[in-house]
Amino acid sequence: MTTVFIAGLIRGFAGFGLSAVVMASAAVIIPPIELIPMCFLLEGAASLAMFRGGMAHANMQIVWGLVLCSAIGLPLGLLATTSVDVETSRNLALSLILALTLAQFLRLRPAFLSTPKGLYISGLTAGVATGLASVGGMVIALYVLAGDTKPKQMRASLVMFLCISMLTSLVWLIVYDVMNMQAVWRGVIMAPVVLLGVFAGTWLFRPSYEHLYRTACLTLLVVLSATGLISQVA
């Protein structure tokens, strides 16, 4: 419950990171393929709660391009996740989270991301990342950061991407028979907790404090993913 609340808190403040926190925390216990649909439902609850503010400030032209490309990449990620054993998928998920978090920490901003080709590649990669570990939002965050977007617009664009992409994600989760009643019940039970976190994070959002809070969120993700990987090797 605490992990889900913290995940919601980060999502409410930064606009992304919910699934990454849940996956990094729980993947050592629950197979990623079971966590992906639960994360989908929690992201859905968070997206509905943040939809109004997202629509007002997001760059919707970019959002739609990312959503369409992500829809192509998602089944590729799900295919990889459903084709390997649990231990391999767990290590893939944790490694991906760690790599994306470190990229955020280092503020990597490849110049090509600011081009139309960068938009398509980012969306496609986000879809694959969603299918592997439900962390497509972190890929989109890297893309948005590359354009020196203002914190409010960045957060809003991330919110709208995650909200709209829920529709295509649901279709593929059903096609791959990943969405089941166990996942639904987990999502229903955890949704009120994640919403409390989202509302708290939204209330805390202050652009002047962004650099401090962002660092704390990324540090948490590094610790969780690295700890999970070390425990698998040990």
Side-chain angles (χ1 to χ4, degrees):
M1 289 290 186
T2 302
T3 296
V4 172
F5 176 80
I6 293 173
L9 187 73
I10 292 172
R11 174 73 144 82
F13 183 90
F16 71 101
L18 188 160
S19 294
V21 172
V22 173
M23 187 69 69
S25 304
V28 294
I29 303 171
I30 303 173
I33 195 64
E34 294 183 23
L35 287 174
I36 289 173
M38 187 186 84
C39 287
F40 167 84
L41 294 169
L42 295 181
E43 291 281 9
S47 294
L48 289 175
M50 300 175 71
F51 180 82
R52 184 175 179 181
M55 179 65 80
H57 303 290
N59 184 331
M60 292 306 298
Q61 182 177 357
I62 288 177
V63 169
W64 280 113
L66 292 170
V67 167
L68 292 174
C69 292
S70 175
I72 299 172
L74 177 59
L76 301 177
L78 283 173
L79 178 62
T81 302
T82 54
S83 300
V84 299
D85 59 79
V86 172
E87 184 176 349
T88 301
S89 67
R90 180 181 291 121
N91 289 335
L92 278 172
L94 292 172
S95 297
L96 182 60
I97 293 169
L98 181 59
L100 289 172
T101 305
L102 290 175
Q104 290 273 357
F105 247 133
L106 297 173
R107 293 184 177 273
L108 298 181
R109 303 182 182 191
F112 84 92
L113 288 181
S114 299
T115 67
K117 184 183 294 185
L119 172 70
Y120 306 140
I121 292 174
S122 297
L124 185 67
T125 305
V128 174
T130 298
L132 283 172
S134 198
V135 291
M138 294 189 72
V139 176
I140 301 305
L142 286 175
Y143 169 78
V144 176
L145 279 172
D148 287 320
T149 306
K150 291 181 179 179
K152 182 176 287 187
Q153 188 180 64
M154 171 190 166
R155 180 173 173 271
S157 297
L158 285 166
V159 167
M160 292 309 300
F161 166 78
L162 291 168
C163 187
I164 298 173
S165 63
M166 299 296 293
L167 300 175
T168 54
S169 296
L170 178 59
V171 172
W172 286 116
L173 288 175
I174 293 174
V175 168
Y176 276 85
D177 197 26
V178 174
M179 183 62 71
N180 52 43
M181 287 308 300
Q182 182 185 49
V184 171
W185 280 114
R186 283 175 176 167
V188 169
I189 292 171
M190 295 296 181
V193 180
V194 85
L195 286 175
L196 284 175
V198 168
F199 293 140
T202 301
W203 181 79
L204 287 171
F205 179 69
R206 302 287 188 277
S208 58
Y209 298 148
E210 184 206 10
H211 64 292
L212 298 175
Y213 200 88
R214 180 177 178 277
T215 299
C217 296
L218 294 175
T219 300
L220 175 64
L221 285 172
V222 167
V223 171
L224 288 172
S225 54
T227 300
L229 283 170
I230 291 170
S231 69
Q232 293 301 304
V233 176

